[in-house]
Amino acid sequence: MDITQRQITKIAREVGKFTSRMMKEEGVGTAEFDLIHVVRKSPGITQAEISKILGADKGAVAKQTANLEAKGYLRRENNPADGRSQLIFPTEQAQRLKNSKAHIEALFYEWLVEPLSKEEQKEFAHLLDILYHRCKEESKADFPEMTLRIKECE
């Protein structure tokens, strides 16, 4: 039984809605921000690699990449290892956008925990940190425990 009632997911969804609304004012949609995030994490990536990571159609990624390049978030360089492809890099504007999104999210979470006492906030942050590290370790290991649990349910 899920004692959390998926409330972490529900909170994250609401924060995401608000953040997306604010990001749209900067002219960047959710899918575009996801693409920028991939490029920021792997500067010098190809469009084919972006498509694979995002699980998105190559044509859609090509269109988004071109749009983001025109908006000044990405830049291209010829791939010295393969003359047929180009490498995609984030610009300073992409970094500022990341900082802007993080700032919006931080403000939302600060507002969210205001009803808690300082001691409750500290304990909540501590417990959340434990859960985050457990989640991150599972992700880095390619989700072996969760894959097993899903297979056991089948």
Side-chain angles (χ1 to χ4, degrees):
M1 174 166 195
D2 176 18
I3 63 166
T4 71
Q5 297 179 332
R6 298 180 49 252
Q7 289 181 351
I8 295 170
T9 301
K10 294 171 185 176
I11 291 168
R13 187 179 303 128
E14 298 305 321
V15 173
K17 283 183 202 175
F18 178 73
T19 303
S20 291
R21 182 182 300 167
M22 295 295 104
M23 298 302 289
K24 282 183 182 175
E25 291 180 10
E26 295 193 40
V28 177
T30 305
E32 289 178 318
F33 188 83
D34 290 344
L35 193 149
I36 291 170
H37 179 74
V38 168
V39 174
R40 283 188 52 261
K41 290 289 187 180
S42 303
I45 193 170
T46 65
Q47 284 184 182
E49 293 167 325
I50 294 169
S51 296
K52 185 177 179 180
I53 291 169
L54 293 176
D57 177 72
K58 288 181 182 179
V61 168
K63 184 177 178 180
Q64 286 179 327
T65 302
N67 287 340
L68 290 168
E69 186 179 16
K71 292 176 183 179
Y73 292 105
L74 303 176
R75 64 178 177 80
R76 299 173 195 256
E77 291 181 13
N78 290 329
N79 186 347
D82 176 4
R84 297 171 295 156
S85 68
Q86 294 181 318
L87 304 177
I88 312 297
F89 294 89
T91 63
E92 281 299 315
Q93 188 174 346
Q95 183 59 35
R96 286 192 303 274
L97 181 66
K98 181 251 180 195
N99 292 338
S100 174
K101 182 178 188 280
H103 178 70
I104 293 166
E105 290 170 342
L107 287 174
F108 196 104
Y109 287 123
E110 286 172 14
W111 169 82
L112 190 61
V113 299
E114 281 178 359
L116 304 178
S117 71
K118 293 297 178 193
E119 189 58 38
E120 289 170 327
Q121 288 180 20
K122 186 176 177 181
E123 180 64 13
F124 176 71
H126 172 71
L127 295 172
L128 199 55
D129 191 57
I130 291 170
L131 297 178
Y132 170 76
H133 283 91
R134 179 175 166 85
C135 180
K136 197 64 175 176
E137 287 171 15
E138 179 71 0
S139 174
K140 284 182 179 180
D142 200 26
F143 303 101
E145 293 292 326
M146 291 311 307
T147 301
L148 181 62
R149 288 182 187 211
I150 294 295
K151 287 181 180 180
E152 288 174 350
C153 291
E154 294 175 348

